[in-house]
Amino acid sequence: MDATRLKPVDVVVIGGGWAGSIMAKEMTEAGQKVVMLERGPDRSTAVEGAYPGSIDELEGNYRYRLFQDLSKSTVTIRNNMRQRALPYRRMAAFLPGEGVGGAGLHWSGVHFRMPPDDLILRSKVIERYGKSFIPEGMNLQDYGVTYDELEPFFDRAEKVFGTSGEPYMINGQVVGKGNVFSPSRSQPFPLPALKDVHTAHLFRKAATEAGFHPYSMPAANASAQYTNPYGAQMGPCNFCGYCSGYACYMYSKASPNVNILPVLRRDPLFELRTHAHVLRVEMDSTKTRATGVTYVDREGRTWTQPAELVIISAFQFHNVRLMLLSGIGKPYDPVANEGVVGRNFVYQNVTTSFVWLNRNIETEQFIGTGGGGVAFDDFNSENFDHGPLGFVGGSPVWVNQAGVKAIAAAQAGGPPGTPRWGSAWKKGLVDTYRHSLRIDAHGANMAYRDVFLDLDPTWKDAYGLPLLRMTFDWKDNDIRMNRYVVDRIGEVARAMDARQVQLTRREFGVPFDTRKYQTTHLGGGAVMGTDPATSALNRYLQAWDVPNVFVIGANAFPQGTGYNPTGMVAALAYWSAYHIRQTYLKNPGPLVSL
């Protein structure tokens, strides 16, 4: 069917999550006419967060009401190039969002800044250990941007999100009891840190006794009433335990729907179109300039929206796929080790260990907040000596009690050795719920030559287009890192005087398994950098080959990090928008290093 051509606009933004909302707000402030295309339905906290329906565990965590419709489009997955990939048909390992707000509506709220060394990881590893320390086949790269350059944009994002936290250093001066490994900040957090739940308090005490440096996790869950720079208001978190997978009925968890869109929707320069599934970015005859996008609406009608500037800002997977479908950038070939789109795909290396305490200690796991908790960074990033250990990367360790709900508690079961049925099973279930806690090793995942994304030659979506194919498995480097850090969890458990411990380590020879949730923190595939031979985007997230296309999201990460990606994604969005406003709009074309 031929597409109907619409009236041209200045900017088209693809995706209605955090990145898209930030970019749309910035572009309208610059006087640009903006159309946002979101393939899912409209969503608002007033509807999706309406109490008590919003805290339905069955609907939220098991029927996935805020998540992607996999019957229309999904990814295919294989562990290596010898296998035939199969479609990801049921939500499990990762949970992409769909609808206005995207994953930013159902996320937990953990809000970190990227460690400075992670931004220059290749340079740092070579400087400290030599080039030969990098394992063969590992595509280690620098971001092309430094922490000092991004600091004002980290700060801006925290103010918009209403982030709660405790600083350690401001403008080079120690001011508080925050993370001793964190870089200096220019301003305090907008709000004080959230209070510790009991398990976080116990973890803080034990981690200190074990010789580590615990701190309150920065969280985009408001510890007090707050009004952000856009005038959007947040209420204080009540620790209800319904963050991840839910819209916050208290308006306490930051989301595009609470913190940006209420203001943006009232702007006459902004138009939101929902149920608009973008098929491709349209290109001119030279294939070096985008002319707009073509999308399908909910009635199956096809439209072409012309635009001077195209911003691809959907979920990581979708950004990479859209670039491949549109012919933006050279597709990655792992055999030749050439091309850039699909290269350096990464995940997050997370395992959760369980600690059972004495039965006179109640852990009150029903209480929780998505972003709050206590962590230590002694084995994250380059905060420790990797030389004797022989691996690259690291992991923070934390207790992030987000609220254990009834169905999840039943699935957790009892301590090791508990029968799977009967009265002993019930007793063990209650024991776990009342007297245990969970400790995460939230590690980085490095990029490798044979881990990548491309278009599947077999499987297609509901619109007849190739699905994105994910080739991924755990590598020895990341397994060894995880096992080393999990052993440190054992030291904390001993300091807790635990009566039973189940340390969960990655195992050599056990492939990535899609059937169990791990994390939705996917990255890479269209990374930023300073070399067009190894990056799809320049340091401003502008496509090297098509300068009026900017691609905003975790796809830009050259390798994984130990932290949740949202804080970095938001900072990169503000960084890119700043340079679009200051330079690109005045003189459209490739942005050179400024």
Side-chain angles (χ1 to χ4, degrees):
M1 181 184 296
D2 292 336
T4 300
R5 184 177 176 86
L6 298 167
K7 182 180 178 181
V9 296
D10 298 315
V11 183
V12 62
V13 173
I14 302 168
W18 274 122
S21 297
I22 290 170
M23 297 302 289
K25 183 71 173 73
E26 289 288 310
M27 293 303 101
T28 57
E29 287 184 0
Q32 302 293 291
K33 171 64 177 175
V34 176
V35 167
M36 175 186 282
L37 301 175
E38 165 56 50
R39 70 177 179 177
D42 200 354
R43 298 194 194 277
S44 69
T45 301
V47 176
E48 273 69 31
Y51 184 87
S54 62
I55 58 168
D56 184 329
E57 183 188 7
L58 183 62
E59 285 294 315
N61 286 128
Y62 295 92
R63 292 176 177 166
Y64 305 113
R65 64 180 173 188
L66 299 181
F67 300 92
Q68 183 177 335
D69 182 353
L70 299 182
S71 70
K72 292 183 179 179
S73 185
T74 183
V75 296
T76 65
I77 304 174
R78 59 182 182 172
N79 292 127
N80 58 66
M81 291 188 287
R82 298 184 300 276
Q83 296 177 342
R84 181 190 181 191
L86 295 174
Y88 180 65
R89 298 183 184 274
R90 184 176 180 179
M91 290 289 182
F94 44 84
L95 307 172
E98 187 167 281
V100 173
L105 181 60
H106 71 72
W107 74 312
S108 64
V110 177
H111 189 185
F112 280 103
R113 298 183 173 197
M114 183 74 75
D117 286 345
D118 278 13
L119 295 169
I120 55 169
L121 190 57
R122 178 179 175 83
S123 297
K124 197 70 176 181
V125 168
I126 293 174
E127 174 191 316
R128 293 187 69 176
Y129 313 113
K131 189 174 182 180
S132 62
F133 192 79
I134 302 172
E136 183 178 357
M138 181 185 287
N139 287 343
L140 203 60
Q141 296 178 209
D142 294 345
Y143 276 72
V145 63
T146 67
Y147 173 82
D148 287 343
E149 290 176 303
L150 288 179
E151 200 283 333
F153 306 100
F154 284 122
D155 181 71
R156 174 66 171 171
E158 289 167 354
K159 286 180 169 62
V160 170
F161 283 48
T163 304
S164 304
E166 182 174 11
Y168 175 69
M169 185 180 296
I170 297 177
N171 295 322
Q173 299 295 315
V174 175
V175 297
K177 298 179 180 180
N179 180 8
V180 300
F181 298 102
S182 63
S184 184
R185 309 164 52 87
S186 61
Q187 298 287 332
F189 284 97
L191 291 170
L194 292 159
K195 301 295 184 183
D196 288 356
V197 296
H198 191 46
T199 55
H201 167 74
L202 296 172
F203 177 75
R204 185 190 295 272
K205 181 175 182 293
T208 301
E209 292 175 359
F212 305 134
H213 301 83
Y215 62 92
S216 297
M217 294 170 62
N221 311 99
S223 61
Q225 183 177 340
Y226 181 71
T227 301
N228 78 2
Y230 300 144
Q233 296 181 335
M234 303 175 72
C237 177
N238 71 350
F239 290 75
C240 75
Y242 285 85
C243 289
S244 185
Y246 304 86
C248 178
Y249 68 90
M250 290 290 293
Y251 291 73
S252 307
K253 181 181 72 175
S255 69
N257 315 67
V258 169
N259 297 64
I260 301 176
L261 287 165
V263 178
L264 192 54
R265 288 175 188 267
R266 298 198 298 265
D267 194 319
L269 292 175
F270 174 74
E271 180 185 353
L272 169 64
R273 298 178 195 158
T274 57
H275 298 285
H277 185 99
V278 177
L279 303 176
R280 61 187 173 273
V281 177
E282 297 292 348
M283 310 289 285
D284 70 6
S285 59
T286 69
K287 305 299 182 184
T288 61
R289 183 178 180 278
T291 59
V293 303
T294 294
Y295 68 93
V296 178
D297 68 15
R298 67 190 307 176
E299 281 80 35
R301 298 172 298 187
T302 306
W303 306 87
T304 294
Q305 176 59 69
E308 292 296 316
L309 179 61
V310 175
I311 296 174
I312 303 175
S313 50
F315 187 68
Q316 175 266 347
F317 269 155
H318 311 319
N319 289 354
V320 176
R321 181 174 181 244
L322 197 52
M323 291 181 73
L324 290 169
L325 291 174
S326 306
I328 300 172
K330 183 179 179 180
Y332 175 62
D333 178 355
V335 177
N337 200 23
E338 296 177 350
V340 292
V341 184
R343 188 178 192 270
N344 283 36
F345 170 65
V346 292
Y347 198 32
Q348 187 122 44
N349 192 1
V350 181
T351 58
T352 300
S353 297
F354 292 79
V355 176
W356 284 265
L357 303 175
N358 293 327
R359 290 188 176 90
N360 64 333
I361 300 175
E362 297 279 349
T363 52
E364 301 172 334
Q365 293 189 69
F366 63 93
I367 300 170
T369 180
V374 171
F376 61 80
D377 270 20
D378 298 64
F379 306 101
N380 190 26
S381 188
E382 285 295 305
N383 299 339
F384 62 110
D385 185 3
H386 294 69
L389 304 172
F391 58 75
V392 178
S395 173
V397 175
W398 61 52
V399 166
N400 169 222
Q401 183 172 300
V404 178
K405 292 161 271 293
I407 301 173
Q411 290 182 324
T418 301
R420 296 175 61 86
W421 193 251
S423 59
W425 172 80
K426 294 178 182 178
K427 183 178 179 181
L429 185 157
V430 172
D431 186 17
T432 295
Y433 188 72
R434 291 182 61 184
H435 307 299
S436 75
L437 65 132
R438 308 172 187 206
I439 305 177
D440 293 330
H442 201 271
N445 170 226
M446 297 298 106
Y448 300 92
R449 177 172 175 171
D450 59 352
V451 174
F452 62 98
L453 303 171
D454 65 353
L455 294 177
D456 195 289
T458 303
W459 300 95
K460 300 183 185 301
D461 67 7
Y463 307 99
L465 297 174
L467 294 178
L468 190 71
R469 179 170 62 179
M470 167 182 163
T471 302
F472 177 81
D473 208 351
W474 303 113
K475 300 291 187 177
D476 284 359
N477 176 89
D478 301 326
I479 295 171
R480 285 188 287 112
M481 182 278 292
N482 169 265
R483 295 176 70 85
Y484 175 79
V485 174
V486 171
D487 284 346
R488 310 288 78 75
I489 293 176
E491 296 173 22
V492 176
R494 286 192 290 274
M496 286 181 168
D497 194 25
R499 61 181 164 91
Q500 197 163 355
V501 179
Q502 180 178 300
L503 296 178
T504 305
R505 303 177 180 89
R506 291 242 175 266
E507 299 293 338
F508 293 101
V510 177
F512 170 66
D513 189 339
T514 64
R515 296 171 297 178
K516 181 179 179 181
Y517 180 73
Q518 293 166 68
T519 177
T520 309
H521 305 155
L522 304 154
V527 310
M528 61 190 295
T530 57
D531 183 356
T534 58
S535 58
L537 313 173
N538 65 19
R539 68 195 299 262
Y540 306 107
L541 285 80
Q542 180 184 42
W544 288 108
D545 300 336
V546 188
N548 69 328
V549 171
F550 289 76
V551 187
I552 317 296
N555 57 270
F557 296 10
Q559 55 269 327
T561 176
Y563 288 154
N564 304 55
T566 309
M568 180 62 174
V569 170
L572 287 177
Y574 280 114
W575 156 264
S576 180
Y578 174 83
H579 290 287
I580 292 172
R581 293 179 64 174
Q582 294 297 313
T583 305
Y584 179 86
L585 293 178
K586 298 173 184 176
N587 185 23
L591 292 176
V592 298
S593 294
L594 303 173

